[in-house]
Amino acid sequence: MEYLPVEVIGNILSCLGAARDVVVASATCRKWREAWRNHLHSLSFNSNDWPVYHDLTTGRLEILITQTIFQTTGLQCLSILMDDVDEFSAAPVIAWLMYTKETLRQLHYNVRTTPNINVLEKCGRQKLEVLALAHNSITGVEPSYLKFPCLKSLSMTYVSISALDLSLLLTICPKIEFLALINLDIAMSDAQTPMELSSPSLKDIYAEAISLDKFILEVDSLEKLHMKDCTFEVFELIGKGTLRLLKIDDVSVIHLDIGENTENLEVVDVSNFTIMWAKFHHMISRSSKLRRLRLWGVVFDDEDEVVDLETISVCFPLLSHLSLCYDLRDGAIQYGLQSTFQLENVAVLELGWTVISDLFSHWVAGLLERCPNLRKLVIYGVVSEAKTPEECQLLANFTSSAVKLMRRYMHVEVQFEYE
């Protein structure tokens, strides 16, 4: 170890991440202390990593963090995550941000202070590339003064911000590629005014637990859109057809519009969602490059609506991964097998039920017949703890049918996942 260059030791210490571990390791010898001072580029203070953080008084904790940070000279990644810790004084926190801002590339910040600190003002106009904020309030974004010329990734969790400030924030990040909005408290100037976000550089958007009347995204380079646990009356995506992945999980939306330019879609993953299938299929029907399609826990607006899987096989000839959750209503299977279509390229098939019936086995067998090049089958099922004799018999019947299918399709790997 004594022959290691001090720069390599600095990289080793940076890989430890947690500040306590770095301090302990740096006590090894004088050379390691030098590496800590001059070549450490990553440091993390996380209240969940070390219980002692919760035992210290706020003042003592502020001193501890200050002394640790001020002994470094070139931090590039700083993470200060203080959940369930009393509010800090603003002065030492400002000192941490000002001391490191010249070299910092990544900042992960979850610190409650009195009074509130405008983190954007302290970090703007520098080389910051990644910014993750939590439990903070952002007010008064001023585009003429505030700039983030290098920022590529922005994540905000439990942040209070107005719709206008959020929109302005994107305008001062000309290189931003990833945006995560999680449990935001968004103040609207007018209930009738839509939330409008625009960026020519954004490629990946993740939205979770966001509730808005109208949300309009104008993003010409967007490749990935993932929405989870959101509520919208209207969601509209305006772009140039670059979208490759669309994931919708437990979202309530009355009017959904992702535009007509969906030729580049490769993955569509929809779960726990109510849709009008005809309209949704029309939106994605031009996606001839689609390779993964997942429709799980999907409820149709029209109770009589049935998905014709032959149409799916025609519209998506490159489909290689298909996931469907079986539903039986009034004798009609939600995903019908009306014809002898073939899903030539499907190699992975995921099938599941919410309420099992004897028809599920026939449905599985029918799909297997239509996937001549299948390599893997995964069966997902929900089994209640207090099973009735009828449920036990249905599960036994399905197990017998599954054994027969496995003997018939020896080349297919079969897995079972039960909840």
Side-chain angles (χ1 to χ4, degrees):
M1 295 291 285
E2 62 183 280
Y3 298 108
L4 283 177
V6 70
E7 294 85 359
V8 174
I9 298 173
N11 288 334
I12 294 173
L13 292 175
S14 298
C15 290
L16 295 177
R20 176 178 177 270
D21 295 336
V22 173
V23 172
V24 171
S26 66
T28 304
C29 63
R30 182 176 56 81
K31 191 174 184 180
W32 283 62
R33 287 192 292 274
E34 180 188 348
W36 172 25
R37 288 192 300 270
N38 300 320
H39 300 285
L40 183 72
H41 53 75
S42 181
L43 195 58
S44 172
F45 301 89
N46 190 327
S47 58
N48 295 321
D49 288 344
W50 192 28
V52 176
Y53 282 128
H54 295 277
D55 299 333
L56 296 173
T57 63
T58 304
R60 179 60 186 147
L61 187 52
E62 291 170 355
I63 294 172
L64 180 64
I65 296 175
T66 301
Q67 290 176 336
T68 306
I69 292 177
F70 277 31
Q71 290 185 65
T72 67
T73 57
L75 279 183
Q76 297 179 18
C77 178
L78 177 61
S79 179
I80 310 176
L81 307 177
M82 291 290 142
D83 281 325
D84 303 321
V85 174
D86 291 338
E87 291 185 341
F88 284 43
S89 299
V93 179
I94 292 174
W96 306 338
L97 298 177
M98 298 301 291
Y99 181 78
T100 58
K101 70 176 186 177
E102 296 292 339
T103 59
L104 214 56
R105 300 292 186 274
Q106 297 185 31
L107 174 63
H108 302 263
Y109 180 89
N110 179 5
V111 184
R112 296 176 177 86
T113 62
T114 303
N116 180 65
I117 295 174
N118 189 335
V119 179
L120 299 184
E121 285 187 358
K122 308 305 177 186
C123 302
R125 304 182 304 282
Q126 301 301 325
K127 300 176 182 179
L128 202 64
E129 297 176 3
V130 176
L131 177 60
L133 298 178
H135 296 100
N136 276 264
S137 178
I138 296 175
T139 56
V141 175
E142 179 51 63
S144 61
Y145 165 73
L146 197 58
K147 302 290 183 183
F148 285 90
C150 302
L151 196 69
K152 294 181 179 180
S153 174
L154 173 63
S155 302
M156 294 190 290
T157 305
Y158 291 103
V159 169
S160 175
I161 188 170
S162 71
L164 176 59
D165 282 338
L166 181 55
S167 179
L168 292 174
L169 182 54
L170 288 187
T171 66
I172 61 176
C173 305
K175 295 184 179 180
I176 188 168
E177 295 182 358
F178 173 75
L179 175 65
L181 307 174
I182 304 170
N183 270 290
L184 294 191
D185 179 10
I186 302 176
M188 304 295 295
S189 58
D190 185 342
Q192 302 300 318
T193 303
M195 160 77 99
E196 297 186 56
L197 298 182
S198 177
S199 170
S201 59
L202 264 176
K203 295 182 179 180
D204 190 346
I205 296 178
Y206 176 75
E208 180 179 344
I210 303 296
S211 181
L212 293 167
D213 289 340
K214 191 172 184 179
F215 191 9
I216 300 176
L217 278 175
E218 188 170 353
V219 277
D220 289 339
S221 303
L222 191 67
E223 297 180 1
K224 299 180 181 179
L225 174 61
H226 182 183
M227 298 183 291
K228 180 179 180 181
D229 298 331
C230 294
T231 302
F232 309 115
E233 287 190 12
V234 176
F235 179 87
E236 186 176 348
L237 175 64
I238 302 172
K240 294 184 177 179
T242 56
L243 192 65
R244 294 191 297 109
L245 182 148
L246 174 64
K247 188 169 184 177
I248 302 173
D249 183 6
D250 199 8
V251 173
S252 174
V253 57
I254 296 175
H255 177 74
L256 173 68
D257 186 359
I258 61 172
E260 298 292 332
N261 300 322
T262 58
E263 294 87 351
N264 291 302
L265 266 176
E266 296 178 7
V267 178
V268 172
D269 186 334
V270 181
S271 58
N272 305 312
F273 187 53
T274 300
I275 62 174
M276 184 177 294
W277 172 250
K279 184 176 180 180
F280 187 78
H281 180 263
H282 175 71
M283 283 192 288
I284 66 172
S285 60
R286 296 183 179 88
S287 309
S288 59
K289 298 179 182 178
L290 196 71
R291 298 182 182 275
R292 296 173 65 102
L293 175 63
R294 184 172 184 264
L295 301 172
W296 210 267
V298 172
V299 178
F300 296 149
D301 276 341
D302 186 348
E303 293 184 358
D304 298 325
E305 202 163 24
V306 177
V307 176
D308 182 3
L309 291 178
E310 182 180 14
T311 303
I312 288 179
S313 69
V314 172
C315 291
F316 314 127
L318 300 181
L319 196 66
S320 61
H321 194 132
L322 178 62
S323 304
L324 300 174
C325 187
Y326 168 90
D327 189 16
L328 180 68
R329 294 175 306 189
D330 301 325
I333 297 177
Q334 194 175 26
Y335 303 103
L337 306 173
Q338 293 91 345
S339 61
T340 57
F341 63 89
Q342 295 284 294
L343 294 164
E344 294 285 349
N345 290 306
V346 171
V348 179
L349 189 60
E350 295 181 322
L351 304 174
W353 75 75
T354 52
V355 179
I356 193 171
S357 75
D358 282 329
L359 292 176
F360 180 73
S361 301
H362 299 292
W363 184 65
V364 174
L367 275 169
L368 281 172
E369 290 177 358
R370 290 161 172 80
C371 300
N373 296 306
L374 192 68
R375 295 197 305 268
K376 184 175 181 179
L377 171 66
V378 185
I379 300 293
Y380 294 88
V382 178
V383 182
S384 60
E385 293 183 5
K387 294 184 287 294
T388 65
E390 291 79 9
E391 288 176 325
C392 290
Q393 187 59 52
L394 288 170
L395 188 57
N397 293 342
F398 168 70
T399 303
S400 299
S401 300
V403 170
K404 293 178 182 178
L405 283 174
M406 286 188 288
R407 289 172 179 168
R408 183 178 174 184
Y409 297 94
M410 296 288 289
H411 62 286
V412 177
E413 176 189 352
V414 181
Q415 294 181 5
F416 297 90
E417 299 284 346
Y418 290 151
E419 295 182 9

